[in-house]
Amino acid sequence: MNEPLKIQELDKVVIRFSGDSGDGMQLTGNQFTGASAHRGNDVVTLPDFPAEIRATPGTIPGISGFQMQFGDHAVNTPGDFPDVLVAMNPAALRANIKDVKKDGFVITDSDTFTEAMIKKAGYADDVDPLDAENVLHKQVIAAPITSQTIETLKDFDIDKKSKARCKNFFTLGILFWLYDISPAFTIQWLKGKFAKKPMLADMNIKVLNEGMLFAQNSGHFQSQYRVQPADLKPGMYRSVTGNEACGLGLVAASNLAGLDLFLGSYPITPATTVLEEVAKYKDHNVKAVQMEDEIAGVCSAIGAAWAGYFACTNTSGPGIALKGEALGLAVITEIPLVVINVQRGGPSTGLPTKTEQSDLMQAMYGRNGESPMPVLAAKTPADCFHMTIEASRIALKYMTPVILLTDGYLGNGSEPFLIPDEKDLPVLKVTQRTDPKGYQSYARDPETLAREWVKPGTPGLANRVGGLEKDITGAISHDPENHDEMVRLRAKKVQNIENDIADLEVLQSPHGDDILIIGWGSTYGSIRNSVDKYQKEGKGVSQAHFSHIFPFPKNTGDVLKKYKKIVVAEMNLGQLAPLLRATYLTETIPLTKIQGSPFTEKEISDVIDTLI
Amino acid sequence: MNEPLKIQELDKVVIRFSGDSGDGMQLTGNQFTGASAHRGNDVVTLPDFPAEIRATPGTIPGISGFQMQFGDHAVNTPGDFPDVLVAMNPAALRANIKDVKKDGFVITDSDTFTEAMIKKAGYADDVDPLDAENVLHKQVIAAPITSQTIETLKDFDIDKKSKARCKNFFTLGILFWLYDISPAFTIQWLKGKFAKKPMLADMNIKVLNEGMLFAQNSGHFQSQYRVQPADLKPGMYRSVTGNEACGLGLVAASNLAGLDLFLGSYPITPATTVLEEVAKYKDHNVKAVQMEDEIAGVCSAIGAAWAGYFACTNTSGPGIALKGEALGLAVITEIPLVVINVQRGGPSTGLPTKTEQSDLMQAMYGRNGESPMPVLAAKTPADCFHMTIEASRIALKYMTPVILLTDGYLGNGSEPFLIPDEKDLPVLKVTQRTDPKGYQSYARDPETLAREWVKPGTPGLANRVGGLEKDITGAISHDPENHDEMVRLRAKKVQNIENDIADLEVLQSPHGDDILIIGWGSTYGSIRNSVDKYQKEGKGVSQAHFSHIFPFPKNTGDVLKKYKKIVVAEMNLGQLAPLLRATYLTETIPLTKIQGSPFTEKEISDVIDTLI
Amino acid sequence: MNAESNFTKKDFTPSGEVKWCAGCGDFGILSQTIKVLSETGKSPEEFAFISGIGCSSRFPYYVDTYGFHTIHGRALAIATGTKIANPDLSVWVAMGDGDGLAIGGNHFLHAVRRNVDMVCILMDNQIYGLTKGQFSPTSFRGQKTKTAPLGTMEDPIDPVALTMGLNGTFVARTSDRNPKHMHEVITRAYKHKGFSLVHVLQNCPIFNDGAFEKESNKETRADATLMLKQGEKMLFGKESEKCIVSTGFSPKVALVADVDEKDILVHDEHQAGLGHFLAQIQGENFPKPLGVFIEREAPTIDQEYVTQNNSVIEKKGRGTIKSLLEAGDTWTVG
Amino acid sequence: MNAESNFTKKDFTPSGEVKWCAGCGDFGILSQTIKVLSETGKSPEEFAFISGIGCSSRFPYYVDTYGFHTIHGRALAIATGTKIANPDLSVWVAMGDGDGLAIGGNHFLHAVRRNVDMVCILMDNQIYGLTKGQFSPTSFRGQKTKTAPLGTMEDPIDPVALTMGLNGTFVARTSDRNPKHMHEVITRAYKHKGFSLVHVLQNCPIFNDGAFEKESNKETRADATLMLKQGEKMLFGKESEKCIVSTGFSPKVALVADVDEKDILVHDEHQAGLGHFLAQIQGENFPKPLGVFIEREAPTIDQEYVTQNNSVIEKKGRGTIKSLLEAGDTWTVG
Ligand SMILES: Cc1ncc(C[n+]2csc(CCOP(=O)(O)OP(=O)(O)O)c2C)c(N)n1
Ligand SMILES: Cc1ncc(C[n+]2csc(CCOP(=O)(O)OP(=O)(O)O)c2C)c(N)n1
Ligand code: SF4
Ligand code: SF4
Ligand SMILES: [Mg+2]
Ligand SMILES: [Mg+2]
């Protein structure tokens, strides 16, 4: 055994795991994420699932990817370009090599570089993918991972195929050693997971250790690296994806409101996992119902909300298009309803596995008639929890359907979630009327303008509501003036919410008010990193990120006035921009990208640099 | 017989017919309209059907109304306040009396003013509705219409009930005499209609003449009136409602394009009569299909368009909400489709029998993803014909779905339609590709950016399209850059249409550029009349009315710059205004009304006067 | 049904006037429904009436219970949410043939399949009434309407056959002109635990007058209808001179005189096979069967949710925010 | 079927690779379909394949004809428009159990009812494949999936029974693991004029592996399936030792040995009543019937449109813009 190597400190590292769907890259990535999170790093991850249908193993369409960034500070994004690429076969190499940083590590399984596999990956016949010029300026570690794994397990009485399946732990071992991370977390996890099949646990643990030894002894690495813990807010953490966070937020909100949760839904990528998450919590008397389609999903939720329960529906863009008519019913009957749209690439089926922010206008206007609904947006995976509760607060307090926009990037991505204490969560006080005296269906609370919620079954309050225009008593009214008044009242009720939400925050540059970069939703992290960079460089670049889009925070107009140039960065052709322009008549500079992923720091600076 | 009375000339007259659904007021109104149109007046009409469900006869909800204005010049609207009210029972009187002009005529059937009927109408027990103070400043003609009618027909061998049913022709006779209009038109119509039942024709004709004699001899009237012919453009005319005009426009467009028409639809007020109109033209090989719902309506049309036919779907606001997802499919597959939205009062079921302009934003944005569709609007009933052909032209030339907005006011209202000569109609040249060589599904015409249309069945061109993003060859592509490019290309294609449409016209005041009143759709007539008035008064008030809303005409920005104040008048909370503000960063003053009917001249001047 | 019900029809009748056309068959359906409600012993507040859009869908405004007049075709999806959320409510849905079987067809399919415990009153006038006379999925082939000036080109759906095809648990048909029978059928539907379809032949005097004249008219109905009575022979005709027999797998009309008495079919609501068989009694050559085609016990989805949740809560205890969030793999910083 | 077809399977096979998972049952369905197409004698351009969204809905990309991959659940509505607009096209729809019976249920209902002339291949894997494993309307009660962790709480739809309830004109079932039978059934479906339902039991090795193992496995299928053959006795089991008999209105399984030979049912596709009867053969206690349940002649809506329009055009002549506009009550000014 050779000398222990010196350990270099790094402030952040980006690793991309890539291989066939069968190679367990999501699991490997999650294990590395868990281990580094446990050691105190800030970690942000993003899986990259193969598009729509699973393709032939060994081909590029069959590749499943997972990228993560961990650092000694808030990293905000899974990173743009990997420092390390784990490529479990030639296709994975070919698909990702161009992204790897100069002198970055490329860890591959040399056993997979057979002629057949190389061909499948789409390389020309005569090229050697690992040949120097094809991996220029990269440090390639071509390890015989499969054979080593099988060799390591020779004493186990089980078929080769099952042995080979452990190979991803060999890779994990290499990375644990390389970044000086203890395998304890993963070993414990394995023991738990295979409690009933201890042999499988032993096999994987053995391979894991073998991987670490290999890294240490193979001489591939000149040094080890270490990323110090970040100084995260003290407290208890867990890692959540945005969709898990939405699910947890709904169940938490139901507890806070003291109302059982009803989720009426229908599967659709990338929103399905919200339903799958919520469906777990039967111990909270949650009723998560998979209906026959999106229309039935929202309608069943409306039926539950009318019945006096805390109701929600979740979907993605095409589903929102289908729900539009029913949402109008929730608007005119003024029923509390949380609607979560995990956006994906459109139009139509579009790019279902890629992220996009192109449903904002649909959220604002995708219904017939004057049909105002508050629109909110979450900016990070963990923020999905808090914004779900905020959406619930508004829905229940103002008796209105509310749309919360997230997207595939948030829904599938993960980050450490500081578990809040119940007492630090907002109180969602809900009062359902029980006093029959003088009840009128559309009488309103003078402050919130909300009408009262009556739970069917309550004695003495039997009443009828519906989609036809009503007067204050709840009677159908065809009176033109009444309609005019009701339309304006519904609009006013929603607009008034501006008095009950947080101001728009600015990450203000101490170096002047030249540029304000405005964003909303999942672009937060990448904009944030760019703005940090500019501010460090002494530039007058500030950031404002919208969590409430309709109504806008009250101070929005004043904020906009302050800056020489307003840049609006969106993953669409410009949807927030026209809302700001129409409302505040302010000039805006578009920074748009519709490529299924948030901005890289470079894509932002390419525009900003021309403006400074 | 007393002396013939002198005849006074009038430039325009407004008559409102009002009675039970059973009283035949629509028919009476249409007969008077036809007769005065034939004599050369300009005539605009608007029926006012009872809301949703038919109520008890004799009650106000049971009232069916029909208003018409005829003049010796372009009258533009059915008028605000009637010069003559025909009220066939107490309820009709009570519901309408307040609108009648000072010293206006009120013609009622005194036989219906029984205690019971007066009660049904909702009058307090002790009031006599015809008592002077209840009809202050009106000239009331309380004629025993029912009894006179029955008396007139005493020699006919038929039951009283059937005789009484002729009473509306007695009323019509009174009006023909009062406005010196020949009954020839109606007599001919009766003979045609009852060709098989000549007795019914004779009965009605006899009653009609009796009505004229009554008017002449009863001494109720001090004079007769006459409205001279208007100098309308020479040519052949017929009276059309907006919905008839849309239907005729579709069938005409199908002939112009040389493609059979497929209309996939589902009934909904007030759009159903478009389907009913189109269904008549089987001699044009039209296939008008009533599907199981709106989604199936648009989908069947998409299937027909994909099959190479001229396809259309029509509905009202709630239906558009349901069609949103499928319209996205038409956008991404770039298939020609005409979508007609006869708007009604929203949100949700809202006020289904009343008109509104609150679906503009939905037309613009009611789909997931970046999903641009041209949006057009018709401004008068006859204009519905021409705008339907314009929508068809754009859809077929640019291979795109197009939304045409009309509304209940246009759809049910009528005006004289100058029947165009085929050669004066636009050529809708359609070429469907037949050459297999080098075909690519998403290759585009360099000028229009439209992709080519291939009719399934064409040899050698078998190809697949769908809702997933495609590259130029038509292959599914998950490539981010390709998606970005395709999204921008689809947007550019639609934006480019601005080079192929008429400029925004201004009805320019010779007296300065103080105020520009902007409108779209059915508010044209009432805005026009107000603007005329101001211009006659020497005020700097001009009018610009949008027929193309997306894209806007190219000169829009220049037009807006020219005026000190821009007023945007809409029957909604402001939907065109934000589009103008966002696009041109121009200040706008809202003039909005959501009361189920276009502006009265007074409602407009109330705002404009404060701005002059 | 509940001898000592403390409620009268008045308790279920709101003040507002009913706005259907004079002579509309819906009036009769409404009054029998209210009669049944008043006999259940339940208070008005315990009922939820949900409907879509259509003349028939105005129903909720005319019963003084909780009511929800929703959007076209969606009543059953909304009612499913209401019932699963609160199984204690007695949920009733009123729908038209267009509302329930055209735009609402999919929700009908799945409400039946899930056996949501509710009463579904399908008021079938074979026309779109509210929109003034277009054909519906139950209009007969060739029926001339505003949207089919030369007659429709499609076969109608038979709601009973469709529901049998979905293994419905309670399937019945009655007629607006036969109050006694309607009352009996609606009462049975109310008592059934599960999805109860009550298919009512309803006359629309304005847009489709006489559609069911044969089946309703005192003169002709004896010949035009077959009254299904549990355990009784399937006889019809003025003198009960006609009967239904089986030709192996299909029904056939015969004269009692011509057949061996034991070949005359005897009705049994609890025999699924017979229900399927009777569902074939459609069209011109048969009398329309009225009564209960089938009733069978099956789990209702609303109760299944209660059962599953309770079993978990009994095992794990009721969850709290703490148990919710501090779960899975957690770690502590500082 | 067409002796001298000039086309081969190659003519219907596009170049691109088929992207289903290894072992997916859809492969077999695809190859039998292509075989049938190549035997029709029609050229590839004469076919239109339309689908919604799902793994199965990728079908159009894998046949080299005109193809339209549309949106989830809407294939039948779109195909109805295509077929009515152009009755000359041979229209085929490929759908999954979720696509066709969950979100697409209403269009299924009405396509069957209208008897639109098309072949509808329902690839039923009792799961949502593309979205990675949620239950579908054909999943069995209690099936554990990601959205029903403790098992579903609803009964499945039997597509055959549903279609019988709608008086479908061609109803058949086959299995992805029985190519010969599949070929026969799809050929029959193609030849039928009207809406042809082909219900295919399809295995999803990834998310619902073995759902139809009993019916597919060479060892067990003799006992688990009942092969319907026109004019033949309904026998099954390895030694054809079992049979189906009738207990009046419901089917029953019996041992051939135990019953009087003439009581054994004989299949007749053209006897609607028998079809309804057979549709009851569902669930654990029965073998799954494979084959053609029923085939009957009925007008197709696409042809009815042609007939109605032609009759008018023959009478009035083909309309022109002039005849269109200068109609009704016109007058002339100046
Ligand atoms: C989304 C939507 N589509 C269409 C309509 C128009 N509409 C209202 S009721 C109705 C059908 C009415 O027929 P039915 O359901 O049989 O009820 P009936 O009036 O005959 O009782 C239609 C098409 C609507 N209100 N909403
Ligand atoms: C409007 C809409 N809702 C939901 C989805 C998501 N989705 C795609 S396919 C599918 C169901 C797939 O199941 P199935 O139809 O049985 O086809 P399979 O994949 O099993 O062949 C769903 C829910 C969608 N694409 N569009
Ligand atoms: S239109 Fe027909 S169904 Fe509607 S209320 Fe009148 S009679 Fe009844
Ligand atoms: S997921 Fe299942 S159904 Fe879909 S392709 Fe894979 S095996 Fe076939
Ligand atoms: Mg009806
Ligand atoms: Mg499936």
Side-chain angles (χ1 to χ4, degrees), chain A residues 325, chain B residues 52 266-269 294 315 318-319 322 344 349, chain C residues 26 53-57 71-72 74 95-100 103 123 125-131 134 136 202 204:
Chain A
E325 188 211 3
Chain B
E52 267 223 285
Y266 187 75
I268 181 168
T269 306
E294 283 85 353
T315 184
L322 287 166
R344 66 188 212 181
T349 312
Chain C
D26 292 345
I53 299 288
C55 296
S56 39
S57 292
I71 47 179
H72 193 40
R74 312 305 170 189
M95 51 163 66
D97 42 317
D99 187 68
I103 191 168
M123 297 145 98
N125 53 13
Q126 300 186 340
I127 198 80
Y128 286 1
L130 186 60
T131 47
Q134 302 79 25
S136 94
Q202 175 238 329
C204 167

Side-chain angles (χ1 to χ4, degrees), chain B residues 428-577:
Chain B
L428 307 186
K429 85 169 207 316
V430 174
T431 49
Q432 292 179 329
R433 181 177 179 124
T434 54
D435 174 11
K437 252 197 278 36
Y439 172 67
Q440 292 186 307
S441 301
Y442 286 86
R444 295 171 186 282
D445 175 297
E447 178 225 345
T448 62
L449 296 183
R451 75 182 195 93
E452 289 176 292
W453 202 3
V454 173
K455 180 174 177 168
T458 310
L461 281 168
N463 71 89
R464 271 75 50 193
V465 295
L468 284 162
E469 190 59 276
K470 302 281 194 293
D471 64 20
I472 186 170
T473 71
I476 295 172
S477 166
H478 297 286
D479 170 36
E481 286 76 16
N482 174 75
H483 178 56
D484 193 296
E485 185 190 347
M486 291 297 270
V487 168
R488 294 180 198 273
L489 263 172
R490 287 185 289 261
K492 185 148 172 264
K493 177 178 85 168
V494 173
Q495 191 59 50
N496 279 357
I497 295 170
E498 70 185 7
N499 301 312
D500 190 22
I501 58 176
D503 269 354
L504 178 64
E505 270 178 46
V506 177
L507 179 69
Q508 176 62 41
S509 168
H511 313 290
D513 302 331
D514 305 328
I515 297 176
L516 178 68
I517 306 183
I518 287 179
W520 63 280
S522 64
T523 54
Y524 172 77
S526 47
I527 298 175
R528 170 69 192 261
N529 286 347
S530 310
V531 169
D532 280 344
K533 184 174 112 289
Y534 282 110
Q535 295 189 356
K536 285 206 193 70
E537 294 169 1
K539 301 274 175 25
V541 179
S542 302
Q543 173 181 22
H545 207 76
F546 282 90
S547 293
H548 292 86
I549 296 179
F550 185 60
F552 284 127
K554 264 171 118 173
N555 65 326
T556 304
D558 300 339
V559 168
L560 296 179
K561 282 199 211 72
K562 188 156 176 284
Y563 300 87
K564 296 200 193 62
K565 291 181 178 151
I566 307 277
V567 175
V568 184
E570 308 180 70
M571 294 189 286
N572 56 41
L573 288 182
Q575 298 200 3
L576 176 62

Side-chain angles (χ1 to χ4, degrees), chain C:
Chain C
M1 78 197 79
N2 178 317
E4 65 279 5
S5 167
N6 313 329
F7 300 96
T8 66
K9 290 170 72 168
K10 248 183 81 295
D11 298 309
F12 289 88
T13 310
S15 49
E17 80 169 315
V18 179
K19 292 188 176 165
W20 286 314
C21 307
C24 177
D26 292 345
F27 283 101
I29 302 169
L30 175 63
S31 71
Q32 288 313 309
T33 303
I34 285 182
K35 186 160 190 298
V36 171
L37 296 177
S38 69
E39 293 162 351
T40 60
K42 281 194 149 87
S43 70
E45 296 88 23
E46 299 176 73
F47 294 93
F49 272 77
I50 299 173
S51 68
I53 299 288
C55 296
S56 39
S57 292
R58 281 309 187 84
F59 212 94
Y61 292 114
Y62 306 145
V63 276
D64 198 355
T65 65
Y66 283 92
F68 197 3
H69 177 232
T70 70
I71 47 179
H72 193 40
R74 312 305 170 189
L76 286 172
I78 289 167
T80 298
T82 301
K83 184 65 182 183
I84 290 178
N86 183 1
D88 299 338
L89 284 172
S90 175
V91 175
W92 295 55
V93 167
M95 51 163 66
D97 42 317
D99 187 68
L101 297 175
I103 191 168
N106 202 31
H107 310 306
F108 185 82
L109 217 96
H110 292 277
V112 174
R113 179 171 77 82
R114 297 188 180 112
N115 197 29
V116 193
D117 181 22
M118 55 173 67
V119 179
C120 174
I121 299 183
L122 174 59
M123 297 145 98
D124 183 0
N125 53 13
Q126 300 186 340
I127 198 80
Y128 286 1
L130 186 60
T131 47
K132 306 192 153 83
Q134 302 79 25
F135 63 88
S136 94
T138 57
S139 298
F140 61 84
R141 178 183 286 274
Q143 187 170 328
K144 289 197 170 57
T145 72
K146 290 178 178 168
T147 49
L150 303 187
T152 70
M153 294 170 259
E154 48 198 66
D155 281 331
I157 286 180
D158 178 322
V160 165
L162 170 62
T163 312
M164 291 304 303
L166 291 161
N167 295 324
T169 60
F170 182 95
V171 183
R173 180 185 287 136
T174 184
S175 146
D176 62 352
R177 298 259 295 267
N178 192 336
K180 255 187 84 300
H181 188 261
M182 220 188 328
H183 176 269
E184 192 181 308
V185 166
I186 296 174
T187 303
R188 291 281 310 277
Y190 165 76
K191 288 182 171 167
H192 174 70
K193 263 222 135 321
F195 187 89
S196 308
L197 172 69
V198 180
H199 179 218
V200 191
L201 310 180
Q202 175 238 329
N203 190 41
C204 167
I206 305 299
F207 296 113
N208 196 21
D209 194 25
F212 303 106
E213 189 56 26
K214 270 200 338 316
E215 293 84 354
S216 321
N217 180 311
K218 288 220 168 23
E219 287 312 300
T220 55
R221 71 186 186 196
D223 292 305
T225 62
L226 168 69
M227 306 308 283
L228 299 172
K229 302 204 191 66
Q230 177 64 359
E232 294 187 19
K233 293 214 193 59
M234 300 187 189
L235 303 175
F236 67 105
K238 281 214 189 43
E239 274 73 38
S240 303
E241 74 281 14
K242 285 176 276 186
C243 63
I244 302 292
V245 296
S246 163
T247 64
F249 299 101
S250 303
K252 181 165 139 294
V253 169
L255 286 173
V256 174
D258 303 348
V259 300
D260 178 339
E261 163 141 24
K262 69 164 172 27
D263 290 343
I264 300 173
L265 297 183
V266 174
H267 186 48
D268 179 358
E269 302 162 352
H270 310 304
Q271 193 181 348
L274 181 60
H276 285 275
F277 179 89
L278 293 177
Q280 298 175 58
I281 304 191
Q282 308 173 25
E284 284 316 296
N285 316 336
F286 288 106
K288 236 191 215 330
L290 301 182
V292 177
F293 285 71
I294 186 171
E295 172 169 31
R296 63 182 183 87
E297 295 237 323
T300 66
I301 193 167
D302 42 296
Q303 277 310 321
E304 291 292 288
Y305 267 94
V306 173
T307 313
Q308 250 192 21
N309 283 1
N310 289 348
S311 73
V312 172
I313 291 167
E314 271 161 32
K315 251 201 261 77
K316 301 176 55 182
R318 168 88 193 200
T320 63
I321 290 185
K322 196 170 162 51
S323 74
L324 172 76
L325 299 181
E326 297 178 7
D329 158 38
T330 64
W331 66 92
T332 307
V333 170

Side-chain angles (χ1 to χ4, degrees), chain A residues 372-395:
Chain A
M373 275 174 64
V375 178
L376 281 55
K379 57 175 184 276
T380 73
D383 188 46
C384 288
F385 176 85
H386 299 289
M387 290 310 293
T388 299
I389 290 181
E390 172 67 353
S392 311
R393 180 187 73 86
I394 292 174

Side-chain angles (χ1 to χ4, degrees), chain B residues 161-176:
Chain B
K161 209 147 164 297
S162 310
K163 289 178 180 170
R165 230 185 258 109
C166 300
K167 69 180 173 204
N168 53 323
F169 282 88
F170 193 97
T171 325
L172 189 58
I174 295 177
L175 291 168
F176 278 160

